[in-house]
Amino acid sequence: MKYDYLIVGTGLFGAVFTYEMTKAGRKCLCIDKRINIAGNIYTEEQMGIQVHKYGAHIFHTSNKEIWEYVNQFADFNHYVNSPVAVWKDELYNLPFNMNTFSKMWGIRTPAEAKEVIEQQKADCKVEEPGNLEEQALSLVGRDVYEKLVKGYTEKQWGRDCKELPAFIIRRLPVRFTYDNNYFNDRYQGIPIGGYTQIVEKLLRGIPVRLGIAYNDFLAENAAKEEPDAFDKILYTGMIDEYFDYCLGELQYRSLRFEEEVLADCDNYQGNAVVNYTEREIPYTRIIEHKHFEFAQGEGTVITREYPATWEKGDEPYYPINDDRNNQLFAQYLELAGREENVLFGGRLGQYKYYDMDKVIEAALAMVKAQLNAE
């Protein structure tokens, strides 16, 4: 068979690219090393509940065009992300807002909250932050840092805050309103029926091979008497893996998910997302999936999320965009520029953390650039 594009990876980036290229008359073939499509936004129904198998995903954007684009493929509910945080026996609203400060300090007004924060910042006497701890103290003072930032961040990164660079938290959003909406974006919600349906519709009619890695596919294809031909390749896997780590390994943080089905409990924690900010508790948060879609009925499904050190072969989730890794990525990017007819896209191909709306924007931009170049 003759294809215009081989798309490696059926996550959101690869799926949007495939859909738009097919719509423009190009012939595409998709492969994925996982046994399911949709990458990290894959959802699966259990007990009538859409379970986010690779971590919670809340779609949010201020881009009306992207909101209208994704609504072609699913109806979205009005879910608003309002996580809560548990520290010891205390519970706080996130993001940091007047509900948080009122509970923490027994105050009522924005002026009172600002006064406490400014006094604590002054007491910390940090003029030029040299690490993450000092940066956080200079932004929000000691109470918010100790209870809601320190332990959670150290679990996320696997290192003491004093050992982490200050740039990781250039700012900590503080709101002096009684508003628990985590995002400021105008459009926000969860697709009714889960995310997998979106990718199913994007890839409808497209040949897709699952459970096969890129190199295995190339070897298998080359061994055929009449191998398939591809004019171009879109690679959405790890860019350093594509080049067989010839310059060294880029670093990531990984995650481990511990899922539990509670058939005899219809409401485990009363909220979709509850963060656990003490370092002594090994997981960072518990997700109760039924609350994303306001599901009713008996039984619930929860997932504990454990940050993990990434090693080659593990699932990479978060690029570590420090100076060392950014410099190494720039070297890989130079190699990528020499690859004729190979495109690199998505979170792993571009070594960049993307929100879902930005993934779609980037995929559409790549499609436009490709079509304009023809």
Side-chain angles (χ1 to χ4, degrees):
M1 293 289 291
K2 176 74 167 63
Y3 296 95
D4 296 297
Y5 287 90
L6 170 67
I7 288 86
V8 182
T10 62
L12 193 55
F13 193 103
V16 169
F17 183 91
T18 301
Y19 176 81
E20 292 297 327
M21 279 300 185
T22 303
K23 197 165 68 172
R26 308 304 182 267
K27 194 168 186 179
C28 300
L29 169 67
C30 295
I31 65 171
D32 201 304
K33 67 179 181 180
R34 285 180 176 169
I35 59 171
N36 56 266
I37 62 170
N40 287 347
I41 66 170
Y42 174 68
T43 51
E44 182 177 281
E45 185 173 321
Q46 296 175 234
M47 300 174 59
I49 299 165
Q50 289 295 329
V51 176
H52 298 217
K53 301 297 283 189
Y54 297 100
H57 286 80
I58 297 98
F59 198 94
H60 58 98
T61 186
S62 294
N63 188 325
K64 185 178 181 181
E65 290 182 7
I66 296 300
W67 180 246
E68 291 174 346
Y69 183 88
V70 77
N71 272 264
Q72 297 176 89
F73 308 105
D75 292 325
F76 280 70
N77 65 20
H78 58 280
Y79 176 83
V80 171
N81 191 31
S82 302
V84 296
V86 174
W87 183 80
K88 299 187 183 299
D89 60 349
E90 300 172 16
L91 187 146
Y92 296 99
N93 291 103
L94 296 176
F96 312 140
N97 67 70
M98 285 303 299
N99 289 306
T100 317
F101 308 141
S102 176
K103 177 74 177 290
M104 190 172 289
W105 300 316
I107 54 90
R108 254 186 357 179
T109 69
E112 290 174 303
K114 289 177 183 178
E115 183 179 354
V116 173
I117 291 173
E118 290 304 316
Q119 184 59 57
Q120 291 194 5
K121 286 164 60 175
D123 291 344
C124 291
K125 297 181 173 140
V126 177
E127 294 184 4
E128 294 185 12
N131 56 50
L132 189 147
E133 176 169 292
E134 292 176 351
Q135 175 77 349
L137 290 172
S138 72
L139 292 171
V140 293
R142 187 161 298 279
D143 286 351
V144 174
Y145 168 69
E146 293 283 355
K147 294 186 177 185
L148 300 179
V149 177
K150 178 177 167 61
Y152 191 92
T153 303
E154 290 179 345
K155 286 188 287 188
Q156 275 190 317
W157 293 96
R159 292 163 61 188
D160 190 283
C161 283
K162 293 177 182 176
E163 300 172 3
L164 290 167
F167 74 81
I168 290 177
I169 51 169
R170 297 186 192 280
R171 66 186 191 90
L172 284 170
V174 174
R175 297 181 187 167
F176 295 100
T177 60
Y178 288 90
D179 180 6
N180 297 325
N181 185 349
Y182 195 82
F183 301 116
N184 289 317
D185 292 308
R186 179 178 178 184
Y187 308 104
Q188 183 175 330
I190 301 281
I192 300 168
Y195 285 98
T196 302
Q197 60 173 322
I198 294 175
V199 179
E200 287 174 343
K201 292 170 185 174
L202 287 166
L203 298 180
R204 185 169 291 161
I206 309 297
V208 177
R209 285 204 54 193
L210 299 174
I212 187 164
Y214 174 62
N215 287 334
D216 294 336
F217 173 83
L218 291 184
E220 179 187 293
N221 187 59
K224 292 165 63 174
E225 289 188 9
E226 295 184 11
D228 296 329
F230 315 97
D231 288 339
K232 291 188 177 182
I233 295 170
L234 167 62
Y235 188 84
T236 67
M238 297 162 57
I239 190 170
D240 53 343
E241 183 179 44
Y242 176 88
F243 291 105
D244 198 26
Y245 308 101
C246 65
L247 302 175
E249 296 175 17
L250 291 166
Q251 294 177 308
Y252 300 84
R253 288 293 288 169
S254 192
L255 294 171
R256 178 173 64 84
F257 302 104
E258 183 182 89
E259 186 179 298
E260 187 175 356
V261 177
L262 304 173
D264 298 326
C265 176
D266 64 357
N267 188 354
Y268 178 78
Q269 62 186 18
N271 204 51
V273 182
V274 176
N275 291 357
Y276 288 80
T277 62
E278 295 172 72
R279 188 165 186 177
E280 292 72 21
I281 296 175
Y283 45 86
T284 51
R285 59 184 182 175
I286 297 179
I287 307 301
E288 187 168 9
H289 301 270
K290 72 187 305 179
H291 296 307
F292 287 130
E293 294 194 51
F294 318 109
Q296 304 297 316
E298 297 180 0
T300 192
V301 181
I302 63 171
T303 301
R304 294 177 179 86
E305 193 170 297
Y306 296 81
T309 300
W310 178 86
E311 296 180 0
K312 192 159 64 174
D314 294 339
E315 194 67 44
Y317 284 93
Y318 301 109
I320 300 178
N321 292 114
D322 57 15
D323 290 341
R324 178 262 179 195
N325 284 291
N326 287 339
Q327 290 172 12
L328 181 56
F329 171 64
Q331 294 173 9
Y332 275 118
L333 205 56
E334 187 176 336
L335 288 183
R338 301 175 198 164
E339 290 287 295
E340 289 189 20
N341 301 321
V342 180
L343 309 170
F344 294 86
R347 176 177 50 93
L348 304 180
Q350 298 173 342
Y351 198 65
K352 178 181 180 180
Y353 181 79
Y354 273 120
D355 286 328
M356 285 179 284
D357 63 325
K358 299 300 188 294
V359 170
I360 295 173
E361 285 182 19
L364 293 175
M366 183 177 283
V367 168
K368 184 178 180 180
Q370 286 300 299
L371 295 177
N372 287 341
E374 292 179 0

